Amino acid sequence: MTPERFRLLIEGTLAVWRVEGSLSFKDDEASCHITAEGRDMATVSREVQPFGTVWRIQEPGRRDRVHPSVGAALRSLREILCPERSTGRVLFVSEGGP
Amino acid sequence: MSAPVPMTVVTGFLGSGKTTLIANLLRRPELSRTAVIINEFGEIGLDHELIESSEEDLVELSTGCLCCVMRGDLTNAVHRLMEKRGEGRPFERIVLETTGLADPAPIVHAAIADPTLRALVSLDRVAVTVDALTGIASLEAHEESRRQIALADVLLLTKTDVDDSGVAALRDRIAAVNPDADILFPVRGEIDPAVIIGGATASLGGRRKARVPDENTGSLDHDHLDHAHGHGSDEITSVSLRLDKPLQAVALTLFLQALAETMGPDLLRLKGIVEVAEAPDTPAVVHGVQHVFHPMRWLDGWPGGARDSRLVMIGKGLSETWVRALLDTIIEEVAEASGQ
């Protein structure tokens, strides 16, 4: 994960959610602090740990959330930034019925 | 000069089953001498490869939405077909499949009012597919869906074999928009070809003409000022990804899940032909409408022989850079988890 791809991922996700916030990326790191509606909302970072690479979501005043995948990390971030937003869950429907 | 060739317009919102319907109809002997014009929204065409045709009279238009570029492209496509016809590849009928975002009104209007087109084709009917699972949501959210239904001669409610619990409510909503259209229920695209080739043509045509707008009053006509279906704007956009390497099956599934979950109802359509690492010689066909996906279908081989793996997504707020970043991240995570 390059810092550039991390930036595209976070910026694109917030665009999809229509979250208007200020993003502060750390140079040479996959880390971003998100400010919206005039307050600190969350810090997202991707870190290498001895057991593998993880996503860390830090919300002020809350315990850090650590996730093993980008999908889980974005779910966690959505719950912070736009909990009212409808989500989707892939449902494979067979031709004969659900 | 030969008589105009009858043309049926098949339209319907994204993922409502237009291509499935046409693919099934073309296997019927009654429609063996049919030419097809396909209009796709997105820079990488796909639908034309999902329709198996024994003839080469299959013209793909990939210049955007036909209802926007309109008469020039339609006329050119019809001319190309007529040239093939003159070269000894006879056909008796044209089926025009529009994009899922098309407003059929200007197409219908052109076929009736444009002197060049009118000399070549006679509009038979407008058949509109409506997804029984997502039809009400599409009707409520998308003007394009309402306009398609409003102009239908015949409405084809698809996927009722999957879940018919919402059919009564959907019929009520449809009746409020277009109470006159016949409603039929194809199962996996299977329908009596008479729906396409007519039989009650005169009455359908008469009814359709009653709804086709006058060019001057234009109540149903295509107005780009008050009718936004995006086409590259920040409304509805199409993203096409070519995949240079085979995808592991688990990465593909995780990508679909992440995309559906992150975008929610803003993901309108996803389709693709994908080279899956576990079975590279039998490409997987992926079809999804919003968050509902069909089980992957495996083709016997690559259409045309070229190993051209790609995904096409249509939705609100989509950007290629974001989709690519998401997919690449998932590929990387799967590779790491599997020790590669």
Side-chain angles (χ1 to χ4, degrees):
Chain A
M1 168 72 81
T2 62
E4 182 187 2
R5 195 208 295 158
F6 179 84
R7 174 188 289 267
L8 291 172
L9 186 66
I10 301 301
E11 286 179 344
T13 300
L14 267 61
V16 166
W17 292 338
R18 299 177 186 81
V19 170
E20 293 183 7
S22 171
L23 306 181
S24 174
F25 291 91
K26 285 187 181 174
D27 291 340
D28 303 325
E29 283 184 44
S31 178
C32 172
H33 182 71
I34 302 169
T35 308
E37 298 170 359
R39 60 192 176 96
D40 293 338
M41 299 297 286
T43 298
V44 188
S45 53
R46 194 159 187 262
E47 312 170 346
V48 178
Q49 297 285 343
F51 49 87
T53 308
V54 298
W55 292 81
R56 183 181 299 276
I57 311 287
Q58 296 169 279
E59 184 182 5
R62 300 285 297 271
R63 200 172 183 179
D64 288 3
R65 306 180 199 186
V66 178
H67 303 287
S69 67
V70 62
L74 294 183
R75 185 183 312 137
S76 187
L77 192 58
R78 181 181 51 78
E79 289 168 0
I80 296 169
L81 298 178
C82 46
E84 74 293 344
R85 186 182 162 82
S86 298
T87 184
R89 181 175 63 87
V90 166
L91 179 66
F92 282 103
V93 177
S94 67
E95 292 181 344
Chain B
M1 190 173 191
S2 56
V5 177
M7 181 172 80
T8 299
V9 176
V10 177
T11 187
F13 202 64
L14 296 164
S16 58
K18 299 181 291 298
T19 305
T20 301
L21 179 81
I22 292 173
N24 276 286
L25 282 168
L26 291 182
R27 296 191 190 107
R28 302 289 290 262
E30 299 93 323
L31 289 172
S32 60
R33 290 157 71 94
T34 299
V36 182
I37 298 173
I38 296 178
N39 180 215
E40 291 192 62
F41 179 42
E43 68 184 69
I44 300 178
L46 195 63
D47 287 348
H48 66 291
E49 292 191 353
L50 301 180
I51 292 180
E52 295 168 16
S53 173
S54 58
E55 298 290 332
E56 293 176 13
D57 295 328
L58 192 67
V59 174
E60 178 206 359
L61 300 177
S62 55
T63 51
C65 182
L66 196 62
C67 69
C68 295
V69 297
M70 259 285 296
R71 296 179 191 180
D73 262 18
L74 180 55
T75 304
N76 290 340
V78 172
H79 269 299
R80 285 199 297 273
L81 285 178
M82 291 304 179
E83 285 170 6
K84 290 181 181 179
R85 197 183 195 203
E87 293 166 0
R89 306 245 299 278
F91 56 85
E92 298 169 348
R93 167 166 298 275
I94 295 173
V95 171
L96 166 62
E97 178 189 352
T98 75
T99 74
L101 297 170
D103 176 357
I107 298 169
V108 170
H109 191 276
I112 292 173
D114 184 284
T116 309
L117 270 177
R118 199 172 55 197
L120 300 172
V121 299
S122 63
L123 185 65
D124 191 334
R125 61 187 58 202
V126 178
V128 177
T129 52
V130 183
D131 188 326
L133 303 179
T134 60
I136 288 182
S138 297
L139 262 166
E140 290 175 352
H142 302 288
E143 176 67 15
E144 293 88 349
S145 176
R146 291 191 289 274
R147 295 170 80 92
Q148 290 165 353
I149 288 172
L151 213 69
D153 296 308
V154 58
L155 287 156
L156 306 166
L157 268 57
T158 60
K159 307 177 192 177
T160 54
D161 55 314
V162 174
D163 182 0
D164 64 358
S165 59
V167 168
L170 179 57
R171 289 186 76 148
D172 288 345
R173 288 286 287 115
I174 286 172
V177 178
N178 183 348
D180 296 332
D182 299 322
I183 297 180
L184 300 170
F185 301 89
V187 175
R188 293 188 285 281
E190 295 285 347
I191 195 84
D192 184 346
V195 170
I196 295 295
I197 63 177
T201 307
S203 64
L204 286 169
R207 199 162 60 215
R208 181 194 63 245
K209 284 171 185 168
R211 283 200 299 280
V212 170
D214 182 279
E215 196 163 31
N216 296 318
T217 58
S219 61
L220 275 175
D221 209 346
H222 197 61
D223 185 343
H224 286 268
L225 294 177
D226 64 7
H227 160 64
H229 55 205
H231 295 334
S233 72
D234 60 358
E235 286 290 318
I236 296 173
T237 54
S238 168
V239 167
S240 306
L241 288 188
R242 285 196 190 279
L243 310 173
D244 298 332
K245 297 176 182 173
L247 268 184
Q248 286 188 262
V250 66
L252 177 58
T253 306
L254 288 171
F255 172 69
L256 296 180
Q257 175 60 39
L259 197 66
E261 186 167 348
T262 305
M263 295 200 65
D266 287 346
L267 177 63
L268 301 175
R269 185 82 167 97
L270 184 148
K271 53 189 175 179
I273 298 180
V274 179
E275 181 179 6
V276 175
E278 291 84 345
D281 295 326
T282 55
V285 176
V286 184
H287 269 299
V289 181
Q290 296 175 358
H291 64 289
V292 180
F293 283 75
H294 295 278
M296 283 180 218
R297 186 161 60 91
W298 302 87
L299 301 180
D300 292 336
W302 286 90
R307 199 174 290 255
D308 187 10
S309 183
R310 70 266 202 201
L311 288 165
V312 179
M313 289 140 278
I314 300 172
K316 291 182 180 175
L318 271 172
S319 73
E320 182 174 346
T321 52
W322 175 70
V323 175
R324 176 67 73 180
L326 180 63
L327 178 61
D328 286 347
T329 302
I330 289 170
I331 290 171
E332 189 177 281
E333 289 180 348
V334 168
E336 182 180 315
S338 57
Q340 293 177 11

